[in-house]
């Protein structure tokens, strides 16, 4: 009974106190070491702390390695940029002569265009001051680079102003031609035609390879268009062909001075003293010198684009066929040859041999031409 009671008591105690046992042999004896729940919890806490410390240590090491790797990458990037900048500086120094030569070619192009098409520059199109350029690593390492860049910027700014100036003048000339009832398109077509042209080849280039900057090409085309339209405008009659006080017979319907019948007068009559000077009304080329029925001694001047002026009843000639004349050039003397009642100039304007009223040309073209210029 005792043994049974003792075993039952042991089981009850073990259930009440669920401790752990560690069996250890020492000097031939078996010893029992018991771990209470508190001791177990304390041991677990120590283990967790050790593991946490190890994790923190490993994380710190990983972060340190990552930071070091990032710094090395950034340093490598900076070194690459420095090497690249140094390479650019070295390359720019090597190409410095080429850059200066390109700028010289650009300047030569600008000067040729100004001399050929414009002459003296108006104030609003003069070369602007070089704009300030922000400091850069290249200009700090190579100061001449900044100066050359400023020169280039000034050239491009001047090219832009000249292009706008040429376009403005071309627009004014085109509008003037239309106001006179003429079409500027044939004048442009004539300028683009390839009839009777030649001469030695003198290339215009802005690059060492013979290329031309598109902005410079645009300037050249604008100036060519301006010239074609202004030359066409200058060929339109706008100079009084005789210095007289009035017109004795106008263009259109009139009574014939010989028989009084209804007649059409194809020009203007300018009366004056015998031998008074007669002037070309516009620039052109003398196409006829001689006599025509009804006109007597007559001169005809071709101005291009089908435009022609005729001067009749002359007493003397002052030009020959094929001669180039400017507006205002003295070409003849006033007379009364042909079908005439007294000394005067019969003046006609014809387009494709169709007579037109000369008065609008003489009265309007001169004023509008001044505005265009």
């Amino acid at each position: 009974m005792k043994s049974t009671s003792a075993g039952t008591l042991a089981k009850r105690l073990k259930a009440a106190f669920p401790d752990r046992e560690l069996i250890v042999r020492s000097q031939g004896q078996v010893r029992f070491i018991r771990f209470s729940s508190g001791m177990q919890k304390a041991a677990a806490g120590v283990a967790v702390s050790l593991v946490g410390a190890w994790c923190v240590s490993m994380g710190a090491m990983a972060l340190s390695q990552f930071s070091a790797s990032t710094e090395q990458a950034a340093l490598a990037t900076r070194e690459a940029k420095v090497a690249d900048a140094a390479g650019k500086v070295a390359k720019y120094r090597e190409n410095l002569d080429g850059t200066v030569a390109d700028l010289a070619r650009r300047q030569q192009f600008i000067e040729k265009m100004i001399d050929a098409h414009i002459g003296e520059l108006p104030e609003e199109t003069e070369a602007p001051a070089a704009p300030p350029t922000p400091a850069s690593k290249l200009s700090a390492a190579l100061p001449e680079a900044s100066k050359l860049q400023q020169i280039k910027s000034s050239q491009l700014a001047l090219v832009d102003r000249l292009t706008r100036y040429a376009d403005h003048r071309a627009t004014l000339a085109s509008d003037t031609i239309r106001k006179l009832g003429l079409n500027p398109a044939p004048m442009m077509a004539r300028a683009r035609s390839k009839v009777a042209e030649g001469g030695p080849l003198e290339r215009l280039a802005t690059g060492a390879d013979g290329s031309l900057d598109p902005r410079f090409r645009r300037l050249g085309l604008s100036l060519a268009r301006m010239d074609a339209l202004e030359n066409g405008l200058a060929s339109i009659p706008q100079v009084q062909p005789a210095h007289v006080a009035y017109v004795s017979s106008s263009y259109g319907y009139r009574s014939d001075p010989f028989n009084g019948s209804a007649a059409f007068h194809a020009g203007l009559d300018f009366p004056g003293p015998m031998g008074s000077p007669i002037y070309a009304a516009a620039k052109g080329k003398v196409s006829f010198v001689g006599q025509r029925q009804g006109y007597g001694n007559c001169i005809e001047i071709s101005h291009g684009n089908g435009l022609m002026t005729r001067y009749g009843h002359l007493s003397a000639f002052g030009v020959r066929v094929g001669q180039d004349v400017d507006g205002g050039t003295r070409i003849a003397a006033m007379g009364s040859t042909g079908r005439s009642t007294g000394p005067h100039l019969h003046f006609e304007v014809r387009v494709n041999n169709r007579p037109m009223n000369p008065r609008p040309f003489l009265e309007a073209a001169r004023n509008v031409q001044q505005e265009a210029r």
Side-chain angles (χ1 to χ4, degrees):
M1 288 294 292
K2 287 185 180 179
S3 59
T4 303
S5 301
T8 301
L9 180 61
K11 290 180 180 179
R12 290 178 177 177
L13 290 173
K14 189 171 183 180
F17 301 97
D19 297 334
R20 301 286 181 176
E21 291 183 347
L22 179 61
I23 303 174
V24 180
R25 291 181 182 273
S26 177
Q27 296 179 357
Q29 296 181 354
V30 178
R31 298 178 182 274
F32 296 90
I33 301 176
R34 297 180 181 277
F35 291 92
S36 65
S37 297
M39 292 179 65
Q40 291 177 39
K41 292 180 180 180
V46 171
V48 171
S49 299
L50 291 174
V51 172
W54 179 82
C55 290
V56 171
S57 176
M58 294 300 293
M61 290 177 61
L63 181 61
S64 176
Q65 290 178 354
F66 176 76
S67 178
S69 175
T70 302
E71 290 180 358
Q72 289 178 354
L75 179 61
T77 301
R78 287 196 297 270
E79 289 176 349
K81 289 182 178 180
V82 171
D84 182 60
K88 288 181 179 179
V89 171
K91 186 177 180 179
Y92 198 93
R93 285 189 183 277
E94 292 175 0
N95 296 333
L96 189 60
D97 291 341
T99 302
V100 172
D102 284 348
L103 291 174
R105 276 186 287 269
R106 289 167 174 259
Q107 188 65 28
Q108 185 181 40
F109 181 99
I110 294 172
E111 291 175 356
K112 280 188 174 182
M113 294 300 100
I114 292 175
D115 291 343
H117 298 275
I118 298 177
E120 185 176 354
L121 275 178
E123 292 182 2
E124 65 272 15
T125 58
E126 290 181 354
T133 55
S136 64
K137 293 180 180 179
L138 181 61
S139 52
L142 195 62
E144 53 266 40
S146 177
K147 295 178 181 178
L148 294 178
Q149 183 60 39
Q150 289 181 359
I151 293 174
K152 182 179 179 180
S153 298
S154 296
Q155 287 180 338
L156 292 178
L158 179 57
V159 166
D160 179 65
R161 290 189 180 188
L162 289 174
T163 301
R164 287 187 280 110
Y165 175 69
D167 289 342
H168 176 67
R169 282 179 48 171
T171 299
L172 287 176
S174 179
D175 291 345
T176 300
I177 293 169
R178 287 191 176 91
K179 287 179 181 178
L180 296 171
L182 300 177
N183 184 3
M187 300 178 184
M188 293 298 302
R190 182 187 182 202
R192 289 192 296 267
S193 65
K194 303 300 179 185
V195 179
E197 294 183 353
L201 175 62
E202 294 187 24
R203 290 189 180 276
L204 289 172
T206 55
D209 59 354
S211 62
L212 183 61
D213 187 302
R215 290 162 290 194
F216 285 72
R217 183 184 298 278
R218 173 76 175 82
L219 169 61
L221 293 175
S222 292
L223 289 171
R225 178 173 178 268
M226 177 195 76
D227 268 1
L229 289 169
E230 289 189 345
N231 285 336
L233 182 59
S235 298
I236 295 174
Q238 55 192 289
V239 175
Q240 195 84 352
H243 295 168
V244 298
Y246 67 99
V247 172
S248 59
S249 183
S250 296
Y251 176 87
Y253 177 89
R254 73 171 182 178
S255 296
D256 183 76
F258 288 92
N259 58 31
S261 63
F264 180 81
H265 190 225
L268 298 178
D269 285 345
F270 297 89
M274 181 69 71
S276 298
I278 304 300
Y279 306 96
K283 74 173 184 177
K285 179 173 288 188
V286 178
S287 56
F288 179 83
V289 175
Q291 291 190 342
R292 290 198 181 281
Q293 185 177 2
Y295 296 94
N297 293 335
C298 177
I299 290 177
E300 295 174 356
I301 300 176
S302 175
H303 305 282
N305 305 302
L307 185 63
M308 181 263 283
T309 51
R310 178 177 290 167
Y311 311 78
H313 309 308
L314 307 175
S315 62
F317 301 120
V319 291
R320 63 184 184 281
V321 173
Q323 180 177 338
D324 291 324
V325 295
D326 291 324
T329 299
R330 182 169 178 170
I331 59 172
M334 187 177 294
S336 186
T337 58
R339 195 168 186 269
S340 170
T341 61
H344 73 284
L345 167 68
H346 174 85
F347 174 68
E348 291 184 9
V349 174
R350 290 179 172 263
V351 177
N352 297 323
N353 205 33
R354 181 173 64 89
M356 299 186 69
N357 188 354
R359 190 181 295 277
F361 294 94
L362 299 180
E363 293 181 352
R366 181 174 60 254
N367 296 332
V368 184
Q369 169 75 353
Q370 291 174 352
E371 293 177 6
R373 289 177 176 174

